Amino acid sequence: MASREFIYEKFADYYSNSSLNVPQPTLMGQREFGFLLLKERAMVRHKSFMEIKDLRRFLSENVPSDVYHSCAYYENPSFEMDKKGWLGADLVFDIDADHIPTLCNKIHDEWTCGKCGFAGKGITPETCPVCGGVKFDTKTWPCELCLNSAKEETVKLVDMLEKDFGFASKEIRVFFSGHRGYHVQVEAEAVRMLDAMARKEIVDYVSGLGLALLEEQASEKTVTGRRRRRGSGSFSLHDFGWNKRLKAGMRKFILNATKDDLRAVGIRSYALLQNKDAVLSRCLEEGRWDSVKGVSVETWRRIARHVKELESAKIDTVVTTDLHRLIRMDGTLHGKTGLLKKEFPAERLTSFDPFVEAVAFKEGTAKVSISDAPEFRLSGKVFGPYRNEVAELPTAAAVLLICKGRAEVV
Ligand SMILES: [Zn+2]
Ligand SMILES: [Zn+2]
């Protein structure tokens, strides 16, 4: 109870002092707003605001734990769903560590079966190993490795949006989500009217879903075996889009490949390693895929599949295709961390540091009793790991631990 009171107080402070920093969303008057209220623990939806000052006042008076707005634009954003009058929507992407395999293997996460109470650490299983239940309570953690993986996926996505789809970098907005990932939002006129099917096509493209390339071309070649005998059956990857990405990825794979790497993708002949130069120039550049002895078309397929996995961007696919999605608002606090959703220029993706730049609470300390927390870093200081101890921490660290259910105020 004291902990909830503490969080309420801190969030209220933030919104009464800093709500001027909450930036105005594009075409604000056409968006639906939603709030999770801290005190009432209730979701309020279908709100609309004509002016940013009204929204800022709402934030400081109502103190939500989470603030959302629609990606969609409506004629009447405060009406019921089917009476809103959809006018279009931004193209949004959600990259969340939950959907990405990470180096940490998520050992910092905990899950408890909602049916029998069996608990474990790491990635939440599909079904409970004891009772077969499918509902779990999870305790996650925004770890550096998780966020770095999410960032790598975001880099790939932004690169595709710029180079393959041709969006200008100023049309692509990039945000730290405030928790375990990044949001990418395209607000260009060209995407506004895309329907769910068209958005699904874009999702498939960035995830590399249904990418045929080598598979198709190779089978075509066996059918027309005559072309192969004449030596004119060559095909090559051209220099645009996925073709280019595959080609560059395959080159990189071959240049660095070891026997272990080959085995890992299911290739048992090491001929490729002894003839790297010939493989690169004849097969990859000229497209004569089976021109090096011991390197078969099947070898290339395996490499292509592996490279596709590496080069595709792992996004949460349902977010992009939902035409009515509510997404967290820029400049507001995340109820699970007390960190900010924060926009930054796409060029700064590699250097952006969420554990410094998204910190909202910069003053004061609080004494907390911590049950369990991994080591973490905030505003340049390292904390923890903690286990059953009391500590006096800077406000931001205390808020994070309390929001994550790892500590209580003393
Ligand atoms: Zn169970
Ligand atoms: Zn992690």
Side-chain angles (χ1 to χ4, degrees):
M1 209 50 215
S3 294
R4 279 189 62 197
E5 208 43 59
F6 173 80
I7 294 296
Y8 182 86
E9 214 174 88
K10 293 300 159 197
F11 276 43
D13 274 357
Y14 180 81
Y15 284 122
S16 58
N17 299 320
S18 315
S19 69
L20 288 177
N21 301 334
V22 174
Q24 174 168 354
T26 313
L27 297 174
M28 190 177 81
Q30 296 183 354
R31 294 188 195 261
E32 176 199 350
F33 286 79
F35 308 90
L36 192 59
L37 299 181
L38 245 170
K39 271 222 172 106
E40 296 79 355
R41 283 194 172 176
M43 183 77 183
V44 178
R45 281 193 66 167
H46 312 296
K47 289 273 177 195
S48 77
F49 298 88
M50 291 314 287
E51 292 193 59
I52 186 71
K53 66 173 168 46
D54 299 332
L55 172 59
R56 287 171 181 157
R57 192 183 319 119
F58 183 95
L59 295 178
S60 61
E61 285 172 2
N62 293 277
V63 193
S65 63
D66 300 271
V67 183
Y68 308 92
H69 64 60
S70 62
C71 302
Y73 305 97
Y74 300 106
E75 245 171 292
N76 304 297
S78 57
F79 286 21
E80 284 169 47
M81 218 61 219
D82 52 344
K83 300 202 173 73
K84 280 188 186 333
W86 192 84
L87 298 171
D90 302 329
L91 178 64
V92 294
F93 300 91
D94 178 20
I95 297 119
D96 194 298
D98 294 348
H99 302 266
I100 307 168
T102 55
L103 286 173
C104 58
N105 278 323
K106 313 219 167 72
I107 44 157
H108 43 70
D109 291 356
E110 290 166 26
W111 49 269
T112 309
C113 174
K115 211 164 145 196
C116 75
F118 185 71
K121 287 200 166 211
I123 298 164
T124 309
E126 299 258 321
T127 55
C128 171
V130 172
C131 76
V134 290
K135 288 227 165 107
F136 298 91
D137 292 323
T138 52
K139 253 188 183 178
T140 62
W141 186 256
C143 102
E144 303 238 5
L145 291 171
C146 281
L147 275 169
N148 282 339
S149 304
K151 192 188 259 190
E152 282 168 25
E153 299 304 318
T154 312
V155 169
K156 288 187 274 180
L157 171 66
V158 168
D159 194 65
M160 286 191 214
L161 292 175
E162 285 181 359
K163 299 209 176 96
D164 300 1
F165 288 89
F167 292 113
S169 52
K170 66 171 173 18
E171 293 174 308
I172 303 169
R173 304 181 65 184
V174 182
F175 308 84
F176 169 58
S177 73
H179 190 209
R180 301 233 285 174
Y182 292 87
H183 295 162
V184 174
Q185 188 163 341
V186 180
E187 292 184 352
E189 197 75 46
V191 301
R192 208 163 284 169
M193 296 308 291
L194 295 178
D195 62 12
M197 282 297 285
R199 288 167 202 255
K200 178 68 168 64
E201 292 278 342
I202 296 172
V203 165
D204 288 354
Y205 185 91
V206 302
S207 348
L209 207 78
L211 188 65
L213 291 170
L214 281 177
E215 327 258 337
E216 232 170 48
Q217 288 166 333
S219 61
E220 196 182 314
K221 213 169 73 163
T222 17
V223 176
T224 55
R226 204 152 48 104
R227 282 171 61 202
R228 181 153 88 186
R229 276 196 299 277
R230 280 188 195 152
S232 61
S234 64
F235 55 89
S236 58
L237 294 172
H238 59 71
D239 284 315
F240 182 73
W242 263 107
N243 277 255
K244 185 179 185 179
R245 291 178 192 284
L246 275 183
K247 201 165 165 181
M250 282 154 77
R251 167 178 293 277
K252 196 167 146 200
F253 177 84
I254 292 159
L255 284 172
N256 302 314
T258 61
K259 286 183 181 176
D260 285 343
D261 295 331
L262 292 183
R263 273 198 300 273
V265 300
I267 299 169
R268 265 170 244 105
S269 154
Y270 303 130
L272 194 150
L273 299 180
Q274 283 112 48
N275 304 296
K276 281 189 182 182
D277 287 341
V279 165
L280 288 174
S281 63
R282 274 194 261 158
C283 308
L284 202 57
E285 286 310 317
E286 295 171 31
R288 291 152 60 209
W289 299 104
D290 52 0
S291 63
V292 173
K293 199 161 178 268
V295 183
S296 66
V297 170
E298 182 52 31
T299 302
W300 286 108
R301 269 189 217 144
R302 287 179 190 273
I303 296 174
R305 262 182 236 128
H306 172 67
V307 168
K308 190 207 84 175
E309 254 340 283
L310 296 177
E311 300 297 321
S312 60
K314 281 113 210 110
I315 57 171
D316 182 353
T317 58
V318 297
V319 172
T320 306
T321 51
D322 185 347
L323 300 176
H324 304 277
R325 193 84 183 181
L326 290 182
I327 193 152
R328 187 173 301 280
M329 183 175 161
D330 182 26
T332 63
L333 296 164
H334 197 302
K336 283 182 182 157
T337 58
L339 294 170
L340 290 168
K341 169 156 173 178
K342 178 102 179 169
E343 181 168 21
F344 57 93
E347 310 89 82
R348 286 200 47 233
L349 246 173
T350 41
S351 66
F352 176 80
D353 186 345
F355 298 107
V356 174
E357 299 180 56
V359 173
F361 303 104
K362 296 186 173 143
E363 282 163 17
T365 59
K367 207 171 184 187
V368 287
S369 161
I370 310 158
S371 55
D372 182 21
E375 185 181 291
F376 64 99
R377 184 175 62 82
L378 270 187
S379 297
K381 280 199 199 113
V382 176
F383 303 93
Y386 298 107
R387 197 163 181 93
N388 300 323
E389 57 196 286
V390 172
E392 173 112 15
L393 298 178
T395 306
V399 167
L400 173 67
L401 291 176
I402 295 168
C403 286
K404 282 270 124 204
R406 311 273 184 150
E408 300 282 347
V409 275
V410 178

